[in-house]
Amino acid sequence: MTDDTSPWLVVGLGNPGGEYAGNRHNVGFMVADLLAERMGARFKAHKSRAQVVEGRVGPPGPASRRVVIAKPMSFMNLSGGPVTALRDFYKVPVGHVVAIHDELDIDYGALRLKTGGGDNGHNGLKSITKSLGADYCRVRFGIGRPPGRMDVAAFVLKDFSAAERRELDYFVDRAADAVETLIADGLERAQGTYNS
């Protein structure tokens, strides 16, 4: 069991650079941006090759949790380096590391929270697991499967469709709520509320 006073490290996965900003693969960045906005804080460069925001989640007072929100500035398949550097710098137990990522095998907008498991071909998770082991938390944001015979790599590196964008803000908001619930109330409560 992890010490309740230990900080949390919430990592939104994505690729740096404006050309990737609206991609399905960057939904982790979108959720991280919203969490930072809710804290009223701006991302700052960190020596770990990531942008970070430090703040608190939960009700004011002793029940609130110290949280570092991070966006690795390496490319997706190299996320493990910055995540490990941040984990070491902030002394975060692996059980308090949360990766927010796109998930092909879940319908668009659906969420699944879990600890551990495989990487399901996701290069960001593969890199983190290689560095940290598999026992970190995941907030899996469904993007669905590519239509027809479209290549998976091409699909994840495309922007959300116009139809998807109509609901994207709602789903990103819900994912941010799920992360806050996970930190404040634990995985089981968050799964019961948000797993769909």
Side-chain angles (χ1 to χ4, degrees), residues 1-174:
M1 191 62 192
T2 0
D3 172 11
D4 263 355
T5 60
S6 300
W8 286 77
L9 172 60
V10 176
V11 182
L13 293 182
N15 285 310
E19 68 271 33
Y20 299 106
N23 290 181
R24 292 180 178 93
H25 222 20
N26 270 42
V27 76
F29 274 16
M30 296 172 197
V31 177
D33 285 338
L34 180 58
L35 287 164
E37 193 181 301
R38 289 179 178 185
M39 289 178 176
R42 290 197 168 175
F43 281 98
K44 294 185 173 82
H46 189 272
K47 63 182 181 182
S48 61
R49 286 183 306 136
Q51 299 274 327
V52 300
V53 159
E54 296 180 50
R56 299 191 84 80
V57 163
S64 77
R65 306 275 183 259
R66 198 157 66 92
V67 179
V68 178
I69 312 284
K71 298 190 296 184
M73 290 291 111
S74 60
F75 281 92
M76 179 74 86
N77 59 341
L78 300 173
S79 301
V83 172
T84 303
L86 288 166
R87 192 270 322 257
D88 294 346
F89 182 83
Y90 289 103
K91 300 181 173 42
V92 178
V94 172
H96 277 199
V97 175
V98 182
I100 310 164
H101 65 92
D102 56 304
E103 178 62 63
L104 287 159
D105 287 337
I106 303 174
D107 289 340
Y108 173 61
L111 294 175
R112 297 265 201 300
L113 286 77
K114 69 173 191 171
T115 298
D119 57 55
N120 204 18
H122 192 289
N123 289 330
L125 295 182
K126 197 174 288 181
S127 178
I128 294 171
T129 298
K130 191 174 173 189
S131 298
L132 291 187
D135 295 330
Y136 55 93
C137 302
R138 296 104 190 272
V139 175
R140 304 159 72 207
F141 187 112
I143 60 169
R145 281 261 165 218
R149 295 188 172 169
M150 183 190 267
D151 178 58
V152 165
F155 178 71
V156 300
L157 292 175
K158 277 201 177 331
D159 286 2
F160 286 100
S161 69
E164 287 170 334
R165 279 199 301 274
R166 282 198 282 277
E167 294 181 296
L168 184 59
D169 287 350
Y170 168 76
F171 289 139
V172 167
D173 196 61
R174 195 165 176 271

